[in-house]
Amino acid sequence: MITLGYYLSSLGFLIATVMAGVAVSKFGKSSFGSIFSYLFIGTGIFFVISVFQKLGGDFFGINDSSMDFWWHAMFYMAFFFYFQSLKLLVHLGNPESQNTQIARIGSEKKWGLATIVLLVAIFVIPSSVDGAVTSYMNSMLADYGLHHFLAFIFAWAVATYLLNAKKNLGQIGQAIANPMIIAMWAFGFQHLWELLNESLKVVVVTPDVGEGVEKIFLVIAAVCITYTAWRLNSFAKAS
């Protein structure tokens, strides 16, 4: 079941990435095209995370705790782009912002290039800097789950922001708001579970049960983001 959950979530992120990319290409050089490029990049990072985890520590010459560090770093990157996309979408739907330039069209390409460079670096340098990473993972901060806590805060901050800003979203924003909020909540619960189970040991279960619960939240997030990408494609066809 854990393996099934992994492949379902990975497939979901792959499909969502492809669909989001198609939607962005249909929007073309426009504010929508620029705004949803950031969502496309963020979703693509989640698929890269699944590939990274599948390769495993032996492939990179690092231990499992270091793997945990690196995929959390990519998680933060993905949420930066999700927040950027949603923030620009909210501003676009705000009547007070109608006469100002919301998104600098073309800047998403620079961010995309920078992301590729960072992701390539993450796939290349882990063994070279494993000493420093291991030092953090063996520290008190890691023992108390700082990396899990930060991921939880990022996910719930984005969900709360979007929930409070729904009234400022246009038609397309309203269409994707609810599935994105559910996806952000699912990511948040995933990392809250990791914090309580792996770090603080508040919830004590077998490793298989712990991993299984994580995969449930991850599948929910992947399904919601795939649905979001599908809705984007529907609006792109109609525009």
Side-chain angles (χ1 to χ4, degrees):
M1 293 302 294
I2 292 173
T3 303
L4 177 62
Y6 166 80
Y7 282 111
L8 285 176
S9 60
S10 299
L11 181 61
F13 289 129
L14 175 60
I15 294 173
T17 301
V18 173
M19 293 178 69
V22 171
V24 167
S25 67
K26 290 177 180 177
F27 283 121
K29 292 183 178 180
S30 64
S31 293
F32 279 137
S34 181
I35 289 171
F36 292 123
S37 289
Y38 295 108
L39 189 143
F40 163 68
I41 294 170
T43 304
I45 292 174
F46 277 113
F47 176 68
V48 172
I49 290 174
S50 68
V51 173
F52 182 84
Q53 292 176 322
K54 183 63 176 178
L55 291 174
D58 290 341
F59 178 86
F60 295 103
I62 57 178
N63 56 43
D64 289 342
S65 65
S66 295
M67 285 287 296
D68 208 31
F69 172 89
W70 287 112
W71 82 256
H72 275 82
M74 288 188 278
F75 181 93
Y76 306 147
M77 289 171 56
F79 263 79
F80 167 80
F81 286 108
Y82 276 169
F83 177 72
Q84 181 72 358
S85 179
L86 296 172
K87 181 183 70 173
L88 292 172
L89 188 61
V90 168
H91 287 177
L92 187 65
N94 189 341
E96 297 179 359
S97 303
Q98 292 300 311
N99 296 324
T100 61
Q101 185 177 8
I102 304 301
R104 182 175 296 178
I105 299 173
S107 62
E108 69 280 358
K109 295 180 180 178
K110 297 178 182 178
W111 281 107
L113 179 60
T115 301
I116 292 173
V117 171
L118 286 174
L119 291 176
V120 169
I122 289 175
F123 273 71
V124 171
I125 68 170
S127 60
S128 302
V129 297
D130 198 43
V133 172
T134 301
S135 295
Y136 162 73
M137 296 305 295
N138 291 333
S139 69
M140 185 178 295
L141 288 175
D143 287 342
Y144 281 105
L146 176 63
H147 48 296
H148 297 313
F149 181 72
L150 289 176
F152 167 73
I153 291 297
F154 288 165
W156 279 75
V158 173
T160 302
Y161 172 79
L162 184 56
L163 185 63
N164 292 334
K166 281 180 64 176
K167 61 181 181 296
N168 289 328
L169 294 174
Q171 186 179 10
I172 188 170
Q174 293 284 353
I176 69 171
N178 287 336
M180 282 300 292
I181 289 172
I182 295 173
M184 300 304 102
W185 279 344
F187 281 129
F189 277 121
Q190 176 200 1
H191 289 277
L192 178 61
W193 172 260
E194 289 183 324
L195 177 65
L196 297 177
N197 173 235
E198 297 177 8
S199 300
L200 301 181
K201 309 297 183 183
V202 174
V203 180
V204 180
V205 294
T206 64
D208 285 346
V209 172
E211 190 71 19
V213 172
E214 289 179 33
K215 290 298 184 288
I216 291 173
F217 291 130
L218 203 56
V219 169
I220 293 173
V223 169
C224 290
I225 292 175
T226 301
Y227 179 67
T228 298
W230 178 78
R231 295 302 301 268
L232 284 180
N233 262 288
S234 298
F235 272 93
K237 290 178 182 178
S239 62

